[in-house]
Each structure stands twice: as C-alpha cells, then as structure tokens.
C-alpha cells in the first residue's frame, strides 16, 4: 500500500499545482477577454523561459540524482559544479537568445517587434531556473520530498500576484508585465530553493570536471527526451503565431492578429491537457517503481496503470467537453460567444482524441525508460516532432488553431501506436492488455480509494 499512498499524496499535490496554474490562466483570460492578441502574447512569453531552461539543462538534474544515489560523487562537488554551469552556461545562452532575437527572429517574422523590454527579462530567467532545477533535484537525493514539491508549488503561485502587481500597479502593458513576472518569480523561487538547502550545501560556483563529464555523458539522452517532449507540447503554439495567415483587419503595435489565433489554440490546449494530469502526477513514482521491479513485476503492473489512465482520460475528456461551454459562458459571459468559442471549441474537439491516445504513450514510454530503453523513447518523441511540425507547416497557414490541433492529434496517435509496438517488442504485455479494461482493475481502483480514506482518516486523527 505504500506506493498507493504516495500516489494519493503526489496526485493531491499535483492537483493543487494545476488549480493554481489554471486558475491564474483563467484570471488573466478574464482580464484580456476582449483582447485575445494580448493574451496570445502573454501565453507565448510566459511559457518561453521554461522551454529555454529545458533545452539548457544538459541533463545534470537527472545525473545529480543518479550519481549521488549511487554515492559516486560528493554532494558538495555536485552542487558547486551545477552552480557554475547554471551561472556560466545559463548566462551565455541568455546572451545568445537576446542576440538571436535582434537578428534572426526579425528576419523570420519582420512584422513583429522583438523589444528588449520583453526579451531581456525572459532570457535572464534561464540561469535562475537552471539553478532552481539543479538544487531542487538535490532535495530528492536528501529525501526532502515535501520541500521538493513546495518549490514546484511556489513556482506556480508566484506568477499571478506578480503579474497583477506589474500590470495594475506599475506602468507595464500585458506582455511586459508577463515577462517581468517570470523574471522576478524565477528569482524568488531560486532564492527559496537555495534557502531550503542552506544547512546542507550552498551556492558556490566551482568546476569539478569529473562530475561534469560524467553528468553530461549520462544525462544528455534523458535531457533530449525531456526537451523533445516539451517541444512536442508547446512548439505548435509558437508555430501558430509564426505561420498563421490572418485574413481579417489589423491591430496596432507589435501584437499582431496571429497572436489572437495563438491565444485561441492555447486555450484549447489548456482544456485538452487537463486529462493528462493523472499520468503526469504518477510519472516520477511510476518510473521509480518500475526501475526497482523485476521485469515480470513491471510486466504485470504497467498494463494495469495503462488501462486505468486510459479509462480516466476517456471519461475526463468527455467531462471536459461537456463542461467547457457552460463554464466559459459563465466566466466570459460576453466574450466567449463573440470572440473565443468559434475557434476554441472546434480545436478542442480535434485535440481530444489525440490527448486521450497519448496518455497510453506516456505510461508505456515511462516503463521503457525505467527498463533502460531510452532509444525507443527518443524515437517516439522524434515521431511526434516530425509529424506534428510537418502537418503544422501544411495546415496552420490556412486553418490556424484547428490545423494545429489536427497536427497534434495525428502526431500523438502516431506516437501511441509506436509506443505500443515498442513496448510489446521489448518484452511487454499485448496491445489489448494495455488498452482494454478488466474486472481486476476495479480492485486496484478500490485500493487507491482505500489509500485516500486512510490518508484523510490519519490526518483527522
């Protein structure tokens, strides 16, 4: 029952983060309900620091946990090396990003104004986010699970109050308020993370070459998988802004009409991805369980989780589809019908079958990674990226958000089919066993429910 209790705890914490994130998104949406172009710019800017950090990570967060757990390196030399990498590598990449924003990007999108007022704060987030990521991974090694989760929660909590402060309390427009909120929030979370570890290790940039070499050698493949996964979930949002051919009037400033289309697609993605949060919440726990199990134990356990997550995704997608229209009609009583609904609803309808299918891919790829088959995980991610980008280029210019939704759904189905094949080919269970619910699944669901009651009862006592 220990794994089930941790499932309940982790899922509950994940739900809290979702409520904070999505609640903040809804409040920002309410503020800019009549200005979807501004909302689109905020969505693009708010996600960009995390994409850049993911690409810059080098896999050292994963490597730190791996090597420290095996006691192959000392905690101090790992922390010092990571401090140096975050400072030097993060700052270097931030500078390169600023340079590209003033040279290459204007050539690709000449009608956008890549103002340094937005670009610099976003790029400066990179070394701060890298530091937080590297040091927060040390909390897993030290088994400070509560603090590890709190850092993730603080990152979600920080954005909205800072955004409201800069937007209403300062002289910042929506996009610049979003950029400054990410920068200040990243600095706060970085400070909190370092403070939590103050009695164990401190930030001191020094190079320990042996760990750096070993860390990159071990972690690059896992980091590439993480980068590709992040791009597969967010790249199409930027492609909508870059590729969509607007067929209406013009707006003023650097916020162009295609950013409104990006806002519509972003909102559809937000709703569609709600069904992913159950498997996402279990990802780290599931990886740990499979990695510590025999092949036969994993072969029995993984299909059960795959079936349960697929069932939750199907039911969840239907619930989301039914609830979205009345809920948004209440939340945006004027703008939903007139501005958002006609694009968001069709995009969501197209996205849902793909997000449901990709739930299975997430579970099976986690199993493959835990059993050492990272190449198959990389191949699955490349399939999504290639199929999605190819279809984005073909469909977005004339179909906008709906075209991006079709590209994502087809790519997710391709990845799910490949993941089922790869899992079966590497000693996993049959396709039907991973997809079709069975009577014994109810027993596992009841055990999870019992774990919930036990945890609630223990707290009340």
């Amino acid at each position: 029952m220990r794994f089930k209790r941790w499932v309940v705890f982790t899922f509950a914490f994940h739900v809290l983060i979702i409520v904070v994130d999505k609640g903040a998104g809804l409040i920002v949406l309410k503020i800019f309900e009549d200005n979807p172009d501004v909302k689109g710019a905020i969505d693009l800017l708010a996600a960009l620091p995390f994409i850049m950090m993911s690409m810059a990570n080098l896999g050292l967060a994963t490597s730190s946990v791996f090597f420290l757990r095996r006691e192959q390196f000392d905690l101090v030399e790992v922390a010092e090396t990571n401090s140096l990498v975050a400072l030097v590598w993060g700052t270097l990449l931030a500078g390169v990003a600023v340079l590209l924003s003033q040279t290459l990007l204007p050539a690709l999108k000449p009608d956008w104004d890549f103002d340094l007022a937005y670009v610099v704060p976003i790029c400066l987030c990179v070394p701060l986010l890298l530091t937080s990521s590297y040091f927060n991974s040390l909390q897993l090694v030290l088994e400070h699970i509560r603090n590890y989760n709190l850092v993730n929660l603080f990152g979600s909590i920080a954005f909205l109050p800072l955004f409201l402060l800069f937007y209403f309390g300062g002289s910042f427009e929506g996009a610049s308020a979003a950029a400054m909120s990410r920068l200040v929030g990243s600095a706060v979370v970085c400070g909190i993370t370092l403070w939590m570890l103050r009695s164990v290790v401190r930030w001191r940039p020094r190079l320990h070459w042996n760990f750096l070499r070993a860390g990159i050698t071990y972690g690059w493949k896992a980091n590439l998988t993480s980068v590709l996964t992040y791009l597969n979930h967010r790249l199409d949002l930027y492609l909508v802004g870059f590729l969509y051919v607007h067929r209406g009037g013009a707006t003023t400033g650097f916020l162009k009409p295609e950013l409104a289309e990006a806002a519509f697609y972003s909102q559809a993605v937000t709703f569609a991805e709600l069904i992913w949060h159950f498997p996402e919440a279990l990802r780290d726990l599931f990886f740990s369980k499979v990695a510590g199990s025999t092949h036969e134990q994993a072969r029995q356990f993984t299909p059960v989780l795959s079936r349960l997550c697929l069932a939750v995704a199907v039911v969840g997608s239907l619930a989301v589809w039914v609830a979205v229209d009345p809920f948004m009609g209440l939340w945006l009583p004027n703008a939903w019908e007139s501005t958002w609904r006609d694009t968001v609803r069709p995009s969501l309808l197209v996205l849902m079958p793909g997000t449901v299918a990709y739930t299975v891919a997430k579970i099976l790829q986690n199993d493959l990674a835990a059993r050492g088959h990272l190449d198959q995980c990389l191949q699955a991610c490349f399939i999504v990226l290639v199929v999605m980008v190819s279809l984005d280029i073909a469909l977005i210019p004339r179909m906008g958000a709906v075209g991006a939704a079709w590209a994502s759904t087809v790519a997710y189905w391709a990845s799910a089919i490949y993941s089922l094949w790869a899992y079966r080919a590497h000693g996993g269970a049959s396709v039907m066993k991973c997809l079709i619910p069975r009577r014994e699944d109810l027993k596992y669901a009841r055990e999870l429910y019992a774990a919930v009651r036990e945890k609630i009862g223990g707290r009340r006592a």
Side-chain angles (χ1 to χ4, degrees), residues 34 55 77 87 135 310 319 351:
D34 296 320
M55 297 177 68
E77 62 182 328
L87 176 64
F135 274 80
L310 179 60
L351 272 171

Side-chain angles (χ1 to χ4, degrees), residues 1-13 282 285 444 447-456 458-459:
M1 290 292 290
R2 183 181 179 186
F3 177 74
K4 298 180 181 66
R5 286 196 296 269
W6 276 115
V7 165
V8 173
F9 174 82
T10 304
F11 184 66
F13 218 100
L282 305 183
L285 286 175
Y444 197 85
E447 290 176 352
L448 285 174
Y449 175 70
V452 174
R453 292 190 61 182
E454 180 181 337
K455 196 166 189 67
I456 293 175
R459 286 182 177 176

Side-chain angles (χ1 to χ4, degrees), residues 83-343:
S83 299
L84 181 67
V85 171
L87 176 64
V88 176
W89 176 242
T91 303
L92 175 63
L93 289 182
V96 170
V98 171
L99 180 62
L100 291 176
S101 74
Q102 304 304 302
T103 55
L104 178 61
L105 292 182
L108 296 174
K109 198 68 175 172
D111 57 332
W112 282 10
D113 179 13
F114 295 93
D115 196 321
L116 290 175
Y118 316 114
V119 171
V120 172
I122 290 298
C123 293
L124 288 178
C125 291
V126 176
L128 296 170
L129 290 173
L130 279 177
T131 301
S132 299
S133 174
Y134 290 159
F135 274 80
N136 203 31
S137 67
L138 301 182
Q139 304 212 75
L140 288 176
V141 177
L142 299 169
E143 298 186 353
H144 297 169
I145 305 301
R146 182 179 64 89
N147 287 350
Y148 174 81
N149 285 318
L150 282 174
V151 168
N152 294 328
L153 180 60
F154 289 147
S156 297
I157 290 176
F159 177 74
L160 182 61
L162 288 170
F163 177 81
L164 297 176
L165 176 64
F166 283 114
Y167 184 68
F168 291 108
S171 57
F172 294 89
E173 60 173 331
S176 57
M180 288 302 299
S181 300
R182 281 300 187 216
L183 175 59
V184 176
S186 299
V188 169
V189 172
C190 181
I192 289 173
T193 308
L194 295 176
W195 180 81
M196 285 179 169
L197 291 164
R198 67 193 184 283
S199 63
V200 181
V201 69
R202 60 195 178 104
W203 186 85
R204 186 169 61 176
R206 290 187 178 181
L207 177 62
H208 298 272
W209 175 248
N210 288 337
F211 169 70
L212 180 62
R213 180 174 54 193
I216 294 177
T217 301
Y218 172 81
W220 75 268
K221 192 175 290 188
N223 188 63
L224 181 57
T225 302
S226 176
V227 169
L228 290 174
T229 299
Y230 214 118
L231 290 177
N232 290 338
H233 293 342
R234 292 293 175 264
L235 181 60
D236 51 353
L237 179 61
Y238 293 87
L239 290 176
V240 170
F242 266 80
L243 298 176
Y244 179 56
V245 178
H246 182 63
R247 291 175 172 79
T251 60
T252 59
F254 99 102
L255 303 172
K256 300 300 179 180
E258 55 264 32
L259 290 179
E261 194 74 8
F264 300 145
Y265 183 62
S266 175
Q267 202 59 47
V269 168
T270 296
F271 292 137
E273 290 183 353
L274 286 174
I275 65 175
W276 278 350
H277 293 299
F278 185 67
E280 283 293 314
L282 305 183
R283 181 181 56 191
D284 292 339
L285 286 175
F286 178 54
F287 180 89
S288 177
K289 181 174 177 64
V290 173
S293 302
T294 65
H295 173 70
E296 188 55 35
Q297 288 172 332
R299 194 172 183 271
Q300 295 299 318
F301 178 76
T302 297
V304 175
L305 194 59
S306 176
R307 297 193 300 263
L308 282 174
C309 287
L310 179 60
V312 170
V314 171
V315 174
S317 65
L318 294 175
V320 168
W321 176 251
V322 170
V324 160
D325 206 34
F327 173 77
M328 293 304 294
L330 291 173
W331 187 250
L332 306 177
N334 299 318
W336 175 246
E337 286 281 347
S338 62
T339 305
W340 296 81
R341 187 182 189 275
D342 288 345
T343 303

